[in-house]
Amino acid sequence: MEQNQHKPSLETVVSLCKRRGFIFQSSEIYGGMSGFWDYGPLGAELKRNVRDAWWRDMVTKREDVVGLDSTIIMNTKIWEASGHIGGFSDPMSDCRKCQTRHRADVLVEEQIGLDATLVTNDDGSKGFPEGIKCPKCQSTDLTPPRDFNLMFKTHAGPVTDEASVAYLRPETAQGIFVQFQNVVATARKKVPFGIGQIGKAFRNEVTPRNFTFRSREFEQMELEFFIEPGTDAEWHEYWIKARLDWYQTIGLPASSLHRYEYPADKLAHYASGCVDILFDFPFGIQELEGIAARGNFDLTQHQNASGKSLEYFDQESNSKFLPHVIEPSAGVDRICLALICSAYREEWINKETKEAVEAEPGKQAPDGHEARTVMRFAPRIAPTKVAVFPLVKNKPPVVEKAREVFLKLNERWACTYDQVGAVGRRYRRQDEVGTPYCVTIDFDTLDDDTVTVRDRDTMKQDRLSLSDLEAYLAERLS
Ligand code: GAP
């Protein structure tokens, strides 16, 4: 798919998401809650399609990957061993003039460059490089950066004391590492192999922002791919390429994707190398997914802390070792946001030829053209695949036939039935939510069992026999 020339603004996307039922503010009737978002009827379908596409391609289809579904709350010792209790924090800083709170590292990145970092003072504390100011009021009077742990704390059980402290997981990855031995023992997989997991993660972000991009509750799709030590570089490259290709299968154009290699001093505490896949969001080029080479950091930590061997026994070489790990870790919410931004197009349609060109922002459609808003979702992730219309709503035989076709197709695909308004208006409604095909049942259908199928992108119509309809759709929707 081609990239849209005129990226929609974030306000346009937020407003479309609310108007069409993709994403709502959480707790909206109580004034909302910063960093929390709900998915409406279409958003829930979109998100499920993203998860399903990932699970299918990364787990089910691959002989060398199995799945896992671990809990959100786990033994607190896991977070001690993984380094999250000690080190999973973001540096924050307050503006003394306007009292706004900032992520200190983000200020440095935004004002100096992606590779820039906070400086380390002689006493080990962090400080700002020269020239950093508050983006809101331009004051340079900022408090020194101080670390703020991002994990949400709660208590498991009725007693609220130190012993019952528990944390909501900030990543799904640790659930995989601590079950490594059970999976090896039951799944009959040999290294190299991976364990994939999809689930919620929680981070008490200092400054949630850019809609769902940085939320406090979000969903991850993570693969821990266990490899023989020494094969890290080639597997890392393999997964970077596989993941870049995957984004194109769900409809993100290659030209909107970028690759960012971390400099050594910006790596997370566990990583020996990391490459991010970035997307061209309306608010800038930002991370969709991180692909880290974690060495055997996690298995070593859990082996030492638990006292249980997490070594893998390799029958061929008759030796034991702690596998290294390559970890492609993606955020479902960021992918959904990228898909919505990328699919959004305002077009001018030539009324005669039906040819569509991207509209010039803020301008009227030229003579002989009409404007439409269309979500050009790849069929694979489109929330609704097919809409079925009776041409008229007041002729029972046409309506009955349309209901029959709808119920049949709806068994196989997510479909919608609409009989309200002129057919042209019904097409526009489906365009705005990205439904790839509309099927219209009319008077001729009653005589010869043919229907009209209209394509969202080309707006061309095909007349075909009802008996060919499923095969026609299956070919185009798969
Ligand atoms: N296990 C590795 C890990 O968690 P990460 O880069 O911190 O790595 C992986 O997170 C992905 O999770 C990110 O690329 C992003 O897509 C998503 N993610 C992280 N924090 C997020 C947040 N606050 N809101 C939405 N998505 C987030």
Side-chain angles (χ1 to χ4, degrees):
M1 203 171 306
E2 277 171 36
Q3 191 174 3
N4 39 6
Q5 297 297 308
H6 306 289
K7 273 186 282 175
S9 69
L10 189 59
E11 295 75 63
T12 302
V13 171
V14 173
S15 134
L16 173 112
C17 282
K18 168 144 200 212
R19 200 171 65 245
R20 291 292 167 195
F22 283 99
I23 301 172
F24 307 129
Q25 203 181 13
S26 160
S27 325
E28 189 183 290
I29 62 168
Y30 286 99
M33 192 163 172
S34 175
F36 296 89
W37 300 94
D38 292 342
Y39 288 75
L42 291 174
E45 292 290 337
L46 176 71
K47 201 175 179 194
R48 203 172 56 83
N49 293 341
V50 168
R51 278 192 221 109
D52 286 353
W54 188 93
W55 192 264
R56 181 132 261 291
D57 294 344
M58 298 288 284
V59 182
T60 320
K61 265 197 196 164
R62 295 190 64 112
E63 284 187 84
D64 58 357
V65 177
V66 290
L68 182 76
D69 191 343
S70 71
T71 57
I72 286 169
I73 292 176
M74 301 190 288
N75 192 314
T76 299
K77 288 179 183 150
I78 290 172
W79 306 114
E80 278 162 18
S82 68
H84 283 86
I85 288 180
F88 192 61
S89 51
D90 275 340
M92 64 180 189
S93 165
D94 295 321
C95 172
R96 289 201 182 92
K97 190 163 166 223
C98 72
Q99 320 302 328
T100 308
R101 178 153 289 174
H102 302 288
R103 269 271 299 271
D105 54 331
V106 172
L107 290 185
V108 175
E109 283 179 8
E110 285 176 348
Q111 293 176 36
I112 299 185
L114 256 188
D115 286 348
T117 52
L118 292 166
V119 296
T120 307
N121 300 319
D122 292 342
D123 62 0
S125 66
K126 297 277 184 210
F128 284 115
E130 282 293 304
I132 298 296
K133 50 184 188 258
C134 170
K136 193 161 172 216
C137 75
Q138 312 303 319
S139 164
T140 51
D141 194 5
L142 302 168
T143 60
R146 58 191 187 286
D147 281 334
F148 170 73
N149 195 294
L150 297 181
M151 282 199 295
F152 278 101
K153 218 181 205 180
T154 184
H155 293 270
V159 184
T160 308
D161 61 11
E162 263 312 297
S164 68
V165 166
Y167 296 93
L168 305 192
R169 67 180 174 199
E171 60 172 17
T172 68
Q174 296 306 322
I176 297 178
F177 294 124
V178 299
Q179 289 294 1
F180 173 72
Q181 212 52 288
N182 275 333
V183 175
V184 169
T186 52
R188 301 171 59 237
K189 293 288 169 201
K190 292 201 170 84
V191 167
F193 83 99
I195 305 176
Q197 164 151 252
I198 299 180
K200 290 269 190 173
F202 303 81
R203 296 182 190 176
N204 198 1
E205 297 283 355
V206 177
T207 51
R209 64 172 173 174
N210 289 333
F211 199 22
T212 55
F213 180 83
R214 191 181 299 144
S215 317
R216 290 181 167 144
E217 173 172 345
F218 57 97
E219 210 163 327
Q220 289 186 317
M221 306 189 289
E222 300 202 293
L223 172 69
E224 305 302 327
F225 196 76
F226 298 95
I227 56 172
E228 219 178 287
T231 60
D232 308 52
E234 64 205 75
W235 276 113
H236 198 195
E237 204 45 50
Y238 167 88
W239 279 111
I240 296 164
K241 176 160 186 328
R243 297 301 301 148
L244 276 166
D245 289 348
W246 185 80
Y247 282 105
Q248 292 168 61
T249 73
I250 58 167
L252 294 182
S255 58
S256 67
L257 300 168
H258 307 267
R259 175 185 166 141
Y260 171 75
E261 205 129 347
Y262 276 73
D265 59 347
K266 290 197 80 177
L267 290 171
H269 65 274
Y270 50 74
S272 62
C274 187
V275 167
D276 280 352
I277 294 177
L278 314 177
F279 174 78
D280 210 345
F281 285 100
F283 41 84
I285 295 178
Q286 299 273 351
E287 174 185 340
L288 269 186
E289 164 160 355
I291 305 165
R294 291 178 86 123
N296 59 13
F297 173 83
D298 305 271
L299 290 180
T300 305
Q301 293 294 104
H302 291 305
Q303 174 166 280
N304 291 344
S306 68
K308 303 268 162 36
S309 168
L310 296 180
E311 281 181 324
Y312 171 79
F313 177 66
D314 182 32
Q315 284 170 338
E316 258 152 63
S317 61
N318 200 23
S319 62
K320 279 183 177 175
F321 61 88
L322 277 178
H324 283 198
V325 168
I326 304 296
E327 176 197 62
S329 169
V332 184
D333 309 81
R334 286 190 187 177
I335 296 174
C336 288
L337 185 57
L339 289 168
I340 292 169
C341 294
S342 174
Y344 183 90
R345 265 193 190 62
E346 288 177 17
E347 294 181 343
W348 291 333
I349 322 284
N350 184 315
K351 285 184 189 162
E352 230 164 77
T353 64
K354 295 279 180 225
E355 247 163 70
V357 290
E358 252 192 273
E360 295 288 330
K363 288 199 188 145
Q364 289 279 334
D367 280 351
H369 290 71
E370 60 177 323
R372 74 161 178 171
T373 300
V374 55
M375 298 297 282
R376 286 180 175 249
F377 287 126
R380 176 168 206 212
I381 54 105
T384 309
K385 311 294 187 210
V386 185
V388 180
F389 310 152
L391 182 66
V392 289
K393 64 173 180 197
N394 52 3
K395 295 284 183 234
V398 177
V399 170
E400 264 165 42
K401 191 76 190 167
R403 292 292 305 166
E404 189 188 301
V405 171
F406 162 70
L407 290 172
K408 181 86 202 313
L409 296 179
N410 202 36
E411 286 196 4
R412 185 157 175 194
W413 295 290
C415 297
T416 186
Y417 175 83
D418 186 5
Q419 58 176 31
V420 180
V423 169
R425 285 184 67 109
R426 288 183 249 168
Y427 283 154
R428 293 290 173 273
R429 269 203 291 273
Q430 295 307 319
D431 288 345
E432 244 202 77
V433 297
T435 308
Y437 293 97
C438 294
V439 175
T440 304
I441 280 75
D442 54 25
F443 294 103
D444 287 343
T445 314
L446 305 177
D447 291 337
D448 61 7
D449 257 357
T450 59
V451 293
T452 300
V453 183
R454 183 260 198 185
D455 180 301
R456 176 197 68 200
D457 297 341
T458 62
M459 288 173 289
K460 298 250 155 62
Q461 304 188 358
D462 275 343
R463 189 80 193 175
L464 55 132
S465 166
L466 258 181
S467 55
D468 296 333
L469 181 61
E470 268 199 62
Y472 177 99
L473 292 170
E475 192 188 325
R476 287 158 178 80
L477 290 171
S478 62

